[in-house]
Amino acid sequence: MPQPFTPHRIAVVAPSPVSMFNLAIPEMLFGKVEVDGRPGYEVVICAAEPGPVPTSGGLELHVRHGLDAVRDADTVLVAGTGEPFEPESRIVTAVRAAAADGKRIASLCTGAFQLAEAGLLHGRRATTYWAHAEELRRRYPLVDLRGDVLYVQDGPYVTSSGYAAGIDLCLHVIRTDYGAAVANEVARRALVAPVRPGGQTQFTQTPLPPERGTACSDTRGWAMRNLDKPLTLTDLARHAGVSVRTLTRRFHAESGVSPLQWLLHQRIERAKELLETTSLPMDQVARACGLGTADSLRGHLVRRTGLAPSTYRVQFSRLGTGAAEATSSVA
């Protein structure tokens, strides 16, 4: 007998003075998740002391819930604060207890200081806003700090860098819980970019894009429409009308990754969407996203998600469990 669906509970912890943008991101994105017409998440904002909580912009927010909400959550997400170097002891204690209970723990921006103070990031990969990365490294030398990435997950701990990278972290969480198709639909509804790879750099070399868009945007759009073809660097450069060297330089400046890294990420994302939303056999999925063969699809998906294609389909299919199991025998 199927278990009744219950939404995933997320406690968003607001340190003082909290970043209003950090609080808006999870509310905006998790609130748009629907699973079979029902909310996929229940989001509760909480603070060490219920009541008025100062923001880094000088306003006050009224937070109704205390840290009891952390005990009832499946995931605890600590927002950034304007005073990152002074972790709140009650928040640190609550986060440490949540980790001991096996909950997923995440942080946005400078919220990583709270996780590091709790000892959760010792010996683990983590990131924070680039402007505070050296200070976190100095205070917590046991953290394997990745100061130039958007977000990183190490075990049950997920940390993001600053500002819009919090959007990427939340989409990553949604994708982990409900699959790429749901995460990308949320991105479309929120009018933000689809899930980006966490290893993409926090900032690019081009301060402002040209008025008509970035130099490689047309080529990226063309590549997305032709993922089923065996595209090479030469193909991409020819479409952009530049040399391979120029394309590589511009591509990295705009997106933070090489053209082939970006292309592989898009192929894998397309494969995941096809696994979730169609009943195509594995070899057809592989061809449709340009990964060639079912064996190649399996290798890439296992490296990226830890799941074989058939397992991924059963876990995230939007077609119903029976249909997914019946059409995923080749993996």
Side-chain angles (χ1 to χ4, degrees), residues 181-216:
V182 172
N184 288 334
E185 176 59 25
V186 169
R188 284 190 287 268
R189 293 178 63 188
L191 299 181
V192 298
V195 182
R196 296 186 289 178
Q200 185 167 319
T201 55
Q202 292 187 25
F203 44 86
T204 62
Q205 299 170 7
T206 306
L208 290 173
E211 194 169 311
R212 293 182 56 136
T214 56
C216 296

Side-chain angles (χ1 to χ4, degrees), residues 1-2 4 30-31 33 39 59 79 108 122 133 186 208 210 231 237 239-240 275 279:
M1 184 174 181
F30 294 129
V33 175
L59 302 176
L108 302 182
H122 290 180
V186 169
L208 290 173
L231 302 177
H239 182 274
L275 289 171
S279 58

Side-chain angles (χ1 to χ4, degrees), residues 17 19 22 56 79-86 108-114 116 121 126-141 143 145-149 160-163 202-203:
S19 162
N22 276 194
S56 54
T81 171
E83 296 182 2
F85 311 143
E86 303 298 332
L108 302 182
C109 195
T110 56
F113 282 82
Q114 310 276 348
L121 304 181
T127 192
T128 190
Y129 181 42
W130 65 267
H132 298 307
E134 285 306 315
E135 184 63 21
L136 191 143
R137 182 179 284 113
R138 187 186 70 80
R139 289 173 178 255
Y140 307 102
V143 177
L145 186 65
R146 308 298 173 94
D148 62 346
V149 299
S160 81
S161 57
Y163 298 100
Q202 292 187 25
F203 44 86

Side-chain angles (χ1 to χ4, degrees), residues 102-183:
K103 303 179 189 297
R104 179 171 57 195
I105 312 293
S107 67
L108 302 182
C109 195
T110 56
F113 282 82
Q114 310 276 348
L115 274 60
E117 181 69 17
L120 306 185
L121 304 181
H122 290 180
R124 293 184 180 273
R125 291 173 292 118
T127 192
T128 190
Y129 181 42
W130 65 267
H132 298 307
E134 285 306 315
E135 184 63 21
L136 191 143
R137 182 179 284 113
R138 187 186 70 80
R139 289 173 178 255
Y140 307 102
L142 296 179
V143 177
D144 181 7
L145 186 65
R146 308 298 173 94
D148 62 346
V149 299
L150 293 177
Y151 63 90
V152 60
Q153 178 161 2
D154 192 329
Y157 308 121
V158 197
T159 52
S160 81
S161 57
Y163 298 100
I167 296 173
D168 296 293
L169 180 144
C170 290
L171 289 174
H172 168 73
V173 168
I174 294 169
R175 179 178 61 184
T176 300
D177 293 340
Y178 294 112
V182 172

